[in-house]
Amino acid sequence: MRHLLKPLDLSVLEIDALLDLARDIEANREAYAHVCNGKKLATLFYEPSTRTRLSFEAAMLNLGGSVLGFQSADASSAVKGESVADTVRVVSCYADIIAMRHPKEGAPLVASQFSGVPIINAGDGGHQHPTQTLTDLLTIRSLTGRLGDMTVGLCGDLKFGRTVHSLINALIRYPGIRLILISPQELRVPGYIREDVLKGNHIPFEEVDRLDEAIPQLDILYMTRVQKERFFNEEDYIRLKDSYILTEKKLEQAKKDMYVLHPLPRVNEIAVEVDNDPRAAYFRQAQYGVYVRMALIMTLLGVKKPC
């Protein structure tokens, strides 16, 4: 039995195989419509989610399985004081696989130690979000035809953004990756990522505080929200907030084949006018999330690809 708690739980070969399966599912959806007949997915979401929870549910339903679970801690026995370990022990009796989101870092790891079925980390605090990373990798590979030899810009809240942390760990395993980290000083990547992950693996990167400085160099621009509450004072937020809004005018400086990704939800960091640009890939990215989660569920359950 295997769990997916972080992107590094899968080797590069396993990730590539999973992405291949996701692309086959995209091309042959009808062939996969009943491969998980009789299987149940439990979604244990201790904090709100729209895309991740619904994409997991859609993935399992598309495979012919069924779904049970809760969508907030208030709707679970957590309000009575039940521990994650006890909840998972019980839910393991009801389901074949569990997708779990929790505000505390490491909660899915605890769950995996007590579960009788595979656990998928659907996001734990500011730590990891491996299925979003698999979605991002599938999106990049599908749009560009590769996962190496490119310059990727990560923009916004790089300190608390779990999607950013997971994506960095995954991308640096591919050759020829260069990163440009675009954020205010207050929201730069944590020191352990800068020192242990980037410098420790000799990954070329630079940190800048303005999007327009970096955008002409990028093959992929990965946007995230800059949240006002993360700043120490309102003056710094007001001074910098417009630097991290992607507009049509800023996009004019970008390569014609650069793609814009975003894990969503979007607030105001990408102007609505950008949605019509062919380089805006974030809604396609959401669709790829269903295919990659279908592939992941099949892989962890040991379900074979249909003949």
Side-chain angles (χ1 to χ4, degrees):
M1 184 177 65
R2 293 188 66 181
H3 309 285
L4 181 67
L5 306 178
K6 57 187 183 300
L8 298 184
D9 289 340
L10 298 172
S11 70
V12 171
L13 287 177
E14 288 173 323
I15 289 175
D16 290 343
L18 194 146
L19 300 186
D20 288 341
L21 177 58
R23 290 305 304 271
D24 193 64
I25 290 170
E26 178 187 8
N28 304 284
R29 288 186 60 178
E30 288 301 316
Y32 291 85
H34 301 288
V35 296
C36 283
N37 281 359
K39 301 290 186 182
K40 298 182 183 69
L41 165 73
T43 54
L44 309 186
F45 277 61
Y46 288 82
E47 63 179 5
S49 169
T50 302
R51 274 149 299 279
T52 303
R53 182 176 61 84
L54 291 181
S55 67
F56 266 112
E57 294 183 2
M60 191 51 147
L61 294 172
N62 287 347
L63 294 170
S66 54
V67 180
L68 63 155
F70 54 82
Q71 59 184 348
S72 73
D74 293 342
S76 76
S77 290
V79 296
K80 302 175 184 178
E82 183 175 55
S83 67
V84 165
D86 282 1
T87 297
V88 166
R89 279 191 178 106
V90 171
V91 175
S92 295
C93 301
Y94 306 151
D96 300 286
I97 188 167
I98 294 171
M100 179 181 180
R101 169 167 289 188
H102 202 284
K104 291 185 178 178
E105 297 180 5
L109 172 61
V110 172
S112 71
Q113 294 167 346
F114 294 92
S115 178
V117 300
I119 296 287
I120 301 173
N121 179 4
D124 59 332
H127 189 222
Q128 298 280 353
H129 197 345
T131 63
Q132 181 63 51
T133 298
L134 293 172
T135 298
D136 300 338
L137 295 179
L138 177 61
T139 305
I140 293 169
R141 199 180 78 167
S142 298
L143 295 174
T144 68
R146 67 191 194 279
L147 279 173
D149 300 314
M150 63 176 63
T151 298
V152 178
L154 300 159
C155 179
D157 181 356
L158 309 187
K159 182 175 183 179
F160 299 99
R162 59 191 169 201
T163 60
V164 168
H165 303 164
S166 285
L167 185 56
I168 288 174
N169 275 287
L171 277 175
I172 65 168
R173 302 166 83 185
Y174 292 89
I177 290 293
R178 174 175 174 253
L179 298 176
I180 301 182
L181 308 175
I182 310 154
S183 71
Q185 184 72 37
E186 296 88 342
L187 297 178
R188 290 194 168 176
V189 294
Y192 78 90
I193 289 182
R194 184 183 301 105
E195 299 301 323
D196 300 341
V197 178
L198 297 175
K199 292 182 180 179
N201 288 285
H202 310 291
I203 305 301
F205 75 96
E206 59 181 298
E207 295 179 290
V208 301
D209 62 8
R210 299 192 67 85
L211 175 56
D212 47 12
E213 287 180 39
I215 200 167
Q217 308 173 56
L218 304 180
D219 298 299
I220 297 291
L221 172 59
Y222 194 91
M223 296 291 297
T224 66
R225 288 180 294 143
V226 172
Q227 301 166 73
K228 182 177 180 179
E229 63 268 24
R230 301 298 193 190
F231 284 83
F232 295 113
N233 62 73
E234 189 171 1
E235 291 77 13
D236 284 344
Y237 173 73
I238 292 171
R239 174 174 56 86
L240 289 168
K241 66 182 179 69
D242 290 342
S243 297
Y244 307 100
I245 298 176
L246 181 64
T247 61
E248 277 188 327
K249 185 171 180 57
K250 285 181 182 172
L251 206 50
E252 289 174 1
Q253 306 172 58
K255 297 176 183 178
K256 297 301 181 185
D257 60 351
M258 184 201 78
Y259 289 99
V260 182
L261 275 61
H262 192 306
L264 302 177
R266 163 181 63 179
V267 181
N268 68 340
E269 61 277 5
I270 300 177
V272 174
E273 64 196 29
V274 172
D275 295 352
N276 295 322
D277 192 292
R279 293 168 291 184
Y282 28 90
F283 294 119
R284 281 176 282 175
Q285 185 181 356
Q287 179 63 68
Y288 283 127
V290 177
Y291 301 136
V292 85
R293 290 180 176 101
M294 290 172 72
L296 179 63
I297 289 169
M298 286 181 61
T299 299
L300 293 182
L301 288 178
V303 174
K304 294 187 182 300
K305 180 178 174 179
C307 299

